[in-house]
Amino acid sequence: MREFNIILAMDAARGIGKKGSLPWHLPGELKHFKNVTTQVDDPQKKNAVIMGRKTWESIPEKFRPLPERFNIILSRNPDFVSPGGVLVFDNFERSLEFLDSSGCRKNIEKVFVIGGAQIVTEAVKHPLCQRIYLTHLQKRYDCDVFFPDFESRFDSVSQGEVVQEEQERYYFAEYEPRK
Ligand SMILES: NC(=O)c1ccc[n+]([C@@H]2O[C@H](COP(=O)([O-])OP(=O)(O)OC[C@H]3O[C@@H](n4cnc5c(N)ncnc54)[C@H](OP(=O)(O)O)[C@@H]3O)[C@@H](O)[C@H]2O)c1
């Protein structure tokens, strides 16, 4: 199976979303997401992003599939129609097995789980989760989905400076499994 990373943003109460979308609008934070998930050492390769069906639907149609990345959607609904060029798996483990195939190893450099709460709750418990990229927003939003506990298994390895954007302040942090 293939090792992977997680990347998300959460508010001061661990909230990550409301009514199927993001409760905040922070272009600088989205740019960070794009940079981390598209950056590759080998220009012949791309990274993969794995997301839950609801997160896929939360992305405006004109912005999906996320460009320059290999998009994978998780859905257990056999009637969910795979959008052109996007793979759908009904099981997280199977998506990691697929990404471990020699063809994927050759073409895909890194794998990122990008949400939402359902997928991340499974992903933070997985032994192949190597790193969590988490943006900490300092305000609280009225969210209905939350980032799960991960602190019992992960340690902070990096914490950036606080960034001010519009009325929000946030910082980028990275976590790795405790040795
Ligand atoms: N703050 C952030 O960085 C961030 C990032 C991403 C998303 N979000 C927010 O998070 C919210 C969406 O999160 P969510 O938890 O409601 O939904 P989600 O995790 O995006 O998607 C849930 C759906 O994924 C499928 N699924 C879940 N686990 C699966 C598994 N193990 N195998 C196969 N399919 C599986 C199911 O689809 P079917 O029902 O089709 O079977 C399930 O209904 C939105 O508000 C979004 O804006 C925030």
Side-chain angles (χ1 to χ4, degrees), residues 9 16 20-21 53-55 74-76 90 114 116-118 122:
I16 65 162
S21 67
R53 190 258 309 160
K54 293 183 183 173
T55 293
L74 298 183
S75 172
R76 297 188 185 93
D90 64 0
I114 64 166
Q118 282 189 38
E122 190 172 345

Side-chain angles (χ1 to χ4, degrees), residues 31-67:
K31 193 167 168 218
H32 167 77
F33 169 79
K34 186 175 182 196
N35 288 344
V36 173
T37 56
T38 54
Q39 193 274 327
V40 280
D41 294 331
D42 178 349
Q44 306 294 323
K45 295 186 178 180
K46 275 188 193 175
N47 296 325
V49 289
I50 304 177
M51 70 196 94
R53 190 258 309 160
K54 293 183 183 173
T55 293
W56 167 263
E57 287 175 351
S58 78
I59 303 170
E61 273 185 50
K62 61 179 175 185
F63 296 126
R64 67 192 202 205
L66 295 179

Side-chain angles (χ1 to χ4, degrees), residues 29-164:
E29 207 286 317
L30 287 176
K31 193 167 168 218
H32 167 77
F33 169 79
K34 186 175 182 196
N35 288 344
V36 173
T37 56
T38 54
Q39 193 274 327
V40 280
D41 294 331
D42 178 349
Q44 306 294 323
K45 295 186 178 180
K46 275 188 193 175
N47 296 325
V49 289
I50 304 177
M51 70 196 94
R53 190 258 309 160
K54 293 183 183 173
T55 293
W56 167 263
E57 287 175 351
S58 78
I59 303 170
E61 273 185 50
K62 61 179 175 185
F63 296 126
R64 67 192 202 205
L66 295 179
E68 302 164 57
R69 286 148 285 184
F70 188 82
N71 287 224
I72 291 177
I73 304 169
L74 298 183
S75 172
R76 297 188 185 93
N77 178 0
D79 297 329
F80 178 70
V81 180
S82 161
V86 179
L87 275 184
V88 182
F89 287 89
D90 64 0
N91 178 301
F92 181 49
E93 301 274 312
R94 269 200 279 283
S95 69
L96 297 179
E97 275 164 20
F98 167 77
L99 289 163
D100 199 25
S101 62
S102 55
C104 286
R105 286 263 175 206
K106 202 168 139 222
N107 295 308
I108 293 177
E109 191 166 292
K110 282 176 276 175
V111 177
F112 292 92
V113 168
I114 64 166
Q118 282 189 38
I119 309 297
V120 167
T121 299
E122 190 172 345
V124 292
K125 295 183 204 144
H126 200 286
L128 289 175
C129 179
Q130 292 193 317
R131 183 169 280 239
I132 300 174
Y133 296 83
L134 192 57
T135 304
H136 293 262
L137 311 189
Q138 292 192 344
K139 284 192 181 165
R140 278 164 190 257
Y141 297 77
D142 181 22
C143 291
D144 57 17
V145 277
F146 297 88
F147 200 93
D149 169 73
F150 65 97
E151 292 89 337
S152 50
R153 242 174 50 74
F154 287 79
D155 287 326
S156 171
V157 291
S158 131
Q159 184 169 325
E161 298 291 309
V162 172
V163 178
Q164 172 95 42

